[in-house]
Amino acid sequence: MLKRHNYALGLAWLGIFFLIPLPFIQTIATGLPAIYNDERLAILYGTIAYSWMLAAIYLSTRPRWLDRLIGLPEMYMLHGILSIAAIGLAYLHKTGTTSNGWTERLGDWAFNLFLAVMLYSLIFLAGWLTSRLPVLAQIKTWLEKVFHQELTIWVHRLNLVATGFIFIHVLLISYIHAITPFMIVFMTASIFVAASYLWFKIQPKTAAQLVANRTLAPNLQELTIQLPARNRLTLQAGDFVFLTFPDIPGMREGHPFSIVNDPRQDHHQLRFAIRGDGDFTRRLAEIVPPQRVAVVGGFGRYLNFVTEQQPQQLVVIAGGTGVVPLLSLIAQQTTQATTFFYNGHTAANLLYPELFAAWQKRPSFTAYRQVGRFSDDDILHQLPAERRGLAVVIGGPAGMARHWIKVLTANGVPRGQIYYEAFTW
């Protein structure tokens, strides 16, 4: 059973990797003087690399319309792969062309910056990689004592400086800026991406208030935020938002947190259950209400996925604080036949038992909560024999999600009927 998300994700990859570079390729290939035929392929490599880097910058603005289609985790994965691929093509461009003076200098500076930021980001911003390599994860933990998250974000922004160097690099090449159709494409795309990024940084954020901050369990805080009656947020069940604390140094860069409650029902209040895993989240326990909070969102595809699937049976698999977005999702699914598997390392890590007690009164809801992992058979034996009417949502650590996706697909559940929203970016 093919679902819309599969099509949207495939079209996003196709469009970004192949369709976006086409106007650049077409205009420069037809206008390039014959004297540069020996360098034609390398010039095309550089052109594609620039178009991909512009696309990567645009994706970093978190376009809301694309998030609802393919999800922010997929967008960030695209962002990372595009950037790495662009650096690879930039190397081929650099070794296959000749230049001098400021043209050469700016090109070299840009390439070196791109390469340095890529290596840095593979440790600090590529959770999909560190979640698979424990040694790299340990190195990241050690280095985070010095290179905190806010500094890491600023280092990553050096990509913008490098892209600016390439922009000037192109303008300094006389035979390139003489190709009018190419320059129209080049300038239009560059200005559009620059304007999108500028708007992303200056657009008004929803000014909210932290009104409660309590400890749910060791190293686990519940934050309650009061929103203004009128706000710019577009929230739905299962969403996450980005929070910043503008009055607290070191906490002014947005961090994503999933919403515990159904945002449509709680009188403009949002609740979050947050584990202290990093320098930002560990400081949350120290914040005394009231405190100003800026909120941007919402993001997420859990509700969209369930709506698109229209399942006869919904299975939820959650571990630890990964349950949080699924709580608001299930709060809204009042008539959906649901089987919920939820485990934690300790009894204290099994959050909000009162919600599960209330949901157990629904005729179509069954929950299994336990300390320690579920065995494969625990879950497989509860699946309906007919897999076509089944949808599975997963929340929790990336390793847990990979395990269950592997087990479920090996036992007849199509991959398109399973959704997991990774927080590994």
Side-chain angles (χ1 to χ4, degrees), residues 2-78:
L2 293 175
K3 300 294 182 179
R4 191 180 73 168
H5 177 52
N6 304 84
Y7 287 121
L9 183 57
L11 287 173
W13 281 83
L14 175 67
I16 290 172
F17 272 96
F18 297 103
L19 298 184
I20 286 178
L22 278 181
F24 293 84
I25 295 170
Q26 178 64 28
T27 52
I28 201 168
T30 55
L32 195 65
I35 192 174
Y36 296 104
N37 279 343
D38 290 345
E39 297 182 354
R40 177 179 292 268
L41 188 58
I43 291 170
L44 291 177
Y45 287 149
T47 302
I48 297 170
Y50 184 76
S51 70
W52 283 351
M53 193 54 70
L54 288 182
I57 293 171
Y58 178 71
L59 290 176
S60 74
T61 67
R62 310 177 200 136
R64 205 76 53 82
W65 65 272
L66 192 55
D67 164 67
R68 294 304 193 191
L69 283 174
I70 68 173
L72 201 57
E74 295 288 357
M75 285 167 53
Y76 276 119
M77 177 66 77
L78 261 172

Side-chain angles (χ1 to χ4, degrees), residues 19 27 33-34 39 74 184 213 215 245 251 264 315 344 367 380:
L19 298 184
T27 52
E39 297 182 354
E74 295 288 357
I184 291 173
N213 185 1
T215 300
F245 293 86
M251 303 188 76
R264 303 180 311 169
V315 170
L380 292 176

Side-chain angles (χ1 to χ4, degrees), residues 77-258:
M77 177 66 77
L78 261 172
H79 167 86
I81 292 175
L82 272 173
S83 301
I84 293 171
I87 292 168
L89 288 186
Y91 174 77
L92 295 177
H93 170 77
K94 174 180 167 65
T95 57
T97 57
T98 58
S99 58
N100 52 64
W102 277 103
T103 302
E104 180 182 23
R105 195 171 295 120
L106 287 169
D108 289 344
W109 288 354
F111 179 78
N112 292 335
L113 260 181
F114 280 136
L115 189 60
V117 173
M118 181 193 75
L119 295 174
Y120 185 92
S121 299
L122 285 175
I123 296 176
F124 290 98
L125 294 173
W128 56 271
L129 183 61
T130 53
S131 68
R132 289 171 168 83
L133 298 175
V135 173
L136 196 59
Q138 186 61 54
I139 293 172
K140 176 184 177 181
T141 301
W142 290 336
L143 292 177
E144 277 181 336
K145 297 173 183 178
V146 177
F147 300 99
H148 54 82
Q149 180 70 10
E150 198 160 285
L151 175 60
T152 293
I153 292 172
W154 278 101
V155 169
H156 192 65
R157 287 176 182 150
L158 290 174
N159 280 321
L160 299 174
V161 177
T163 304
F165 287 162
I166 294 299
F167 179 82
I168 301 171
H169 165 86
V170 172
L171 295 181
L172 291 176
I173 304 173
S174 57
Y175 65 87
I176 295 295
H177 68 65
I179 306 173
T180 301
F182 172 76
M183 290 307 298
I184 291 173
V185 172
F186 175 81
M187 294 298 294
T188 301
S190 300
I191 291 170
F192 171 77
V193 171
S196 298
Y197 189 84
L198 181 62
W199 173 247
F200 167 68
K201 298 305 296 181
I202 67 172
Q203 65 181 315
K205 298 177 176 62
T206 296
Q209 190 88 352
L210 176 68
V211 295
N213 185 1
R214 69 184 181 107
T215 300
L216 285 178
N219 199 37
L220 187 66
Q221 294 297 123
E222 182 190 72
L223 275 61
T224 302
I225 290 176
Q226 182 69 46
L227 300 174
R230 293 184 179 181
N231 59 75
R232 298 173 177 271
L233 301 177
T234 53
L235 301 174
Q236 59 188 32
D239 270 6
F240 61 94
V241 297
F242 285 80
L243 301 182
T244 60
F245 293 86
D247 297 331
I248 302 178
M251 303 188 76
R252 293 167 180 159
E253 294 290 343
H255 280 59
F257 299 111
S258 295

